[in-house]
Amino acid sequence: MTLLFGHRARLRWLHLIIGGALLMPYFLAALVIIGRLRPDPGPFSPLSHQLTAFVCALPMAAVTAFFAPARQLSVAAAHALCGVPGDRPLADGPARTQQAQVRTVGWFTLHLALGGIVSGLTLAMPPLAGTIMALPFSQSMRDSRVFGLPEALDRPWILALLPFAGLAILVATAGCAALAGALLAGRAPVLLGPTPQDRLAAAERRAADLAVRNRLARELHDSVGHALSAVTLQAGAARRVLDIDPEFVREALTAIEETTRRTVGELDSVLGLLRGGEDHGRSAATGPALDALDGLLERCGVPVSCAVRGDTGTVPAAVSREAYRIVQEGLSNALRHGGHGVPVELRVTVRAAELAITMDSPLPERAAVVRPGGGRGLCGIAERAVLLGGRAEAGPHDGGWRLAARLPLRRTGQESR
């Protein structure tokens, strides 16, 4: 009985009734046209006219399924009422190809055809079943000329079977509705399922979302991670000389205050990207660039020998931002692994077609064994370079550690992501 009258069966029955309601305007229009072509003097249209109107209404309904909203409305209704299995997803968005439109037309026509049949049965069969079930208990109904019942129905054994016959009619009606609902649910993934173009569009959306998430993760890692490394080392150095060099402690606390204040601003900017979405993120994705490099070197916590060749003002904004982050992460690695006071040599060269960044620092003994590929920071540097169409490498070099990045100055398709 659950298959016939359960929650899912009732929802599918409702879905079919909605299909019958959607078919009704086309059915009435076809009935009017047929009545003009084949006039009938009676007060009601004969059954042949109704069946002909039903058949003619389906092509009329199929034409309207070519309009854009038809697919989205059909998918929404199928999701809510059809009980389509979760492992067979339906398409998202309007039909993008002629194949998808043809499938939508097939679904819409099938829905309205089965809905019209089930709606007709729902309207006609329950009153008929009720009448049949009431006949054994009403002599006036059996004698009435309205029903025109044969005399054979007055036999006791037939009258005793009439309630069961009425009940069988109700169960058969429910069975037809359940069967039609199951047929629609089975056809939904085929006719409303995603086409290869839909899957490609969904994959592109997922890739765009993943790119935004990776970008936010890189921003957080580079800005907040660099600040935490600098603050940790400055606080540790201040703690060691707290009683013997108050002036150094004062300078360290001032540097910590400036670093945390600046980092809070950068963190608020990155969180704004999360709150505002991708469009807001593109407009708000300014961030520090190469023109802020001097300030970064002053407060990085390590002595840096910097040589800049070329005009950094000619570097595109996106390349300048990523170059700043690459330098920032390189300084963070030098500070994290080398400690306070380890000298760093930085060279920034602006050429005609590319921006070159080279950073050399001593390789401490504890880092003599280097993990292939580096940690998250080095992976983030490589990702930034690749997104701009360039490359980045890091590893031991001449007894020290070298970070080298090459960023093309031409705008690439990947840069806009």
Side-chain angles (χ1 to χ4, degrees):
M1 296 301 290
T2 303
L3 295 177
L4 299 181
F5 301 102
H7 178 70
R8 175 175 294 183
R10 294 196 302 270
L11 288 179
R12 290 177 176 176
W13 201 336
L14 176 61
H15 186 237
L16 291 166
I17 296 297
I18 293 174
L22 292 175
L23 180 66
M24 188 56 63
Y26 308 102
F27 175 77
L28 294 177
L31 197 61
V32 170
I33 295 173
I34 293 174
R36 293 290 184 88
L37 297 177
R38 300 172 59 186
D40 182 70
F44 299 103
S45 299
L47 181 60
S48 60
H49 283 198
Q50 296 183 24
L51 292 177
T52 304
F54 175 78
V55 173
C56 294
L58 295 178
M60 297 169 59
V63 173
T64 60
F66 280 100
F67 291 98
R71 191 189 198 201
Q72 293 171 282
L73 293 175
S74 298
V75 168
H79 268 308
L81 301 175
C82 261
V84 180
D87 58 342
R88 306 185 67 184
L90 303 183
D92 182 18
R96 296 178 176 85
T97 61
Q98 185 177 4
Q99 179 188 15
Q101 287 182 331
V102 171
R103 290 182 179 181
T104 303
V105 171
W107 165 267
F108 193 73
T109 306
L110 179 63
H111 179 204
L112 267 61
L114 294 177
I117 295 173
V118 171
S119 296
L121 292 176
T122 303
L123 290 174
M125 293 298 103
L128 175 61
T131 301
I132 292 176
M133 295 172 70
L135 284 177
F137 309 100
S138 175
Q139 183 65 41
S140 60
M141 290 179 63
R142 297 197 298 272
D143 296 338
S144 175
R145 295 181 179 180
V146 175
F147 296 101
L149 299 176
E151 295 181 358
L153 290 180
D154 286 334
R155 297 178 182 178
W157 67 272
I158 294 181
L159 292 176
L161 293 177
L162 288 180
F164 298 100
L167 184 60
I169 291 175
L170 293 178
V171 173
T173 303
C176 291
L179 184 62
L183 176 62
L184 275 181
R187 293 292 91 191
V190 177
L191 299 177
L192 295 180
T195 62
Q197 290 77 11
D198 294 323
R199 294 188 178 93
L200 178 60
E204 291 176 348
R205 288 194 298 271
R206 288 194 296 270
D209 292 340
L210 183 60
V212 171
R213 292 183 181 182
N214 287 339
R215 174 169 166 261
L216 293 177
R218 288 194 302 269
E219 294 292 333
L220 286 173
H221 178 274
D222 292 350
S223 61
V224 179
H226 172 79
L228 290 177
S229 297
V231 166
T232 300
L233 288 174
Q234 288 168 344
R239 178 180 55 81
R240 287 192 294 268
V241 298
L242 179 62
D243 297 327
I244 60 176
D245 194 350
E247 184 63 26
F248 178 83
V249 174
R250 187 178 297 109
E251 293 177 359
L253 292 176
T254 301
I256 290 174
E257 180 183 1
E258 293 176 355
T259 301
T260 53
R261 183 182 297 112
R262 184 186 67 257
T263 305
V264 167
E266 294 182 3
L267 179 60
D268 183 68
S269 175
V270 174
L271 293 179
L273 308 187
L274 287 173
R275 290 191 296 265
E278 183 180 356
D279 294 334
H280 175 76
R282 288 176 179 173
S283 62
T286 55
L290 287 178
D291 55 2
L293 192 59
D294 292 338
L296 174 64
L297 300 181
E298 290 176 1
R299 58 179 179 267
C300 67
V302 295
V304 181
S305 172
C306 180
V308 178
R309 297 182 178 88
D311 184 7
T312 58
T314 61
V315 177
V319 179
S320 184
R321 281 197 309 271
E322 299 302 324
Y324 178 93
R325 292 303 189 190
I326 289 174
V327 172
Q328 184 183 50
E329 179 57 30
L331 293 174
S332 296
N333 285 335
L335 187 63
R336 185 180 303 114
H337 299 294
H340 191 80
V342 174
V344 175
E345 182 180 350
L346 173 64
R347 296 184 298 277
V348 179
T349 305
V350 181
R351 302 191 179 99
E354 71 173 10
L355 171 67
I357 300 173
T358 305
M359 184 180 298
D360 291 305
S361 60
L363 185 63
E365 296 180 359
R366 64 184 180 185
V369 179
V370 182
R371 287 182 302 165
R376 291 192 182 93
L378 296 180
C379 290
I381 290 175
E383 289 175 359
R384 290 181 184 276
V386 169
L387 286 175
L388 293 173
R391 65 185 187 278
E393 299 175 351
H397 180 78
D398 290 340
W401 180 270
R402 168 166 289 186
L403 168 65
R406 300 289 185 271
L407 308 179
L409 299 183
R410 290 179 179 271
R411 182 177 294 272
T412 64
Q414 290 174 303
E415 174 191 337
S416 60
R417 292 186 180 179

